[in-house]
């Protein structure tokens, strides 16, 4: 059976972004080996805004992974490997 692992940066009050979409409160810890962390994933699931930020900031530091974006505003696209 496959595992589902939930990983998110959230403030203590449960918010992922500030009221204006800012995420400057998230401090990147240089001790975290993001490439190793992403190597343990088989895919990514995110919403449209997270996906846009993900792409604008360079995407995953690890291997290329299938990415599933859930949105009510983007056109439906089915990608094949």
């Amino acid at each position: 059976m496959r595992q589902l692992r939930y990983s998110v940066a959230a403030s203590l009050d449960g918010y992922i972004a500030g009221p204006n979409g800012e995420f400057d409160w998230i401090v990147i810890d240089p001790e975290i080996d993001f490439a190793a962390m992403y190597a343990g994933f088989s895919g990514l699931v995110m919403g449209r805004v997270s996906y846009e930020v993900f792409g604008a900031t360079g995407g995953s530091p690890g291997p290329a992974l299938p990415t599933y974006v859930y949105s009510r505003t983007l056109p439906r696209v089915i990608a094949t490997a």
Side-chain angles (χ1 to χ4, degrees):
M1 177 181 284
R2 298 184 101 179
Q3 289 183 327
L4 176 62
R5 186 179 309 168
Y6 179 70
S7 176
V8 66
S11 62
L12 291 175
D13 55 0
Y15 289 95
I16 296 172
N20 297 310
E22 68 274 12
F23 56 94
D24 55 344
W25 61 272
I26 302 173
V27 179
I28 302 299
D29 184 346
E31 305 259 335
I32 297 173
D33 185 349
F34 284 99
M37 182 177 74
Y38 276 95
F41 299 159
S42 59
L44 302 173
V45 178
M46 62 186 77
R48 178 190 54 84
V49 174
S50 294
Y51 178 70
E52 289 171 351
V53 170
F54 178 75
T57 57
S60 169
L65 297 170
T67 302
Y68 306 93
V69 180
Y70 288 84
S71 170
R72 286 180 259 186
T73 60
L74 292 175
R76 183 176 182 182
V77 175
I78 300 175
T80 58

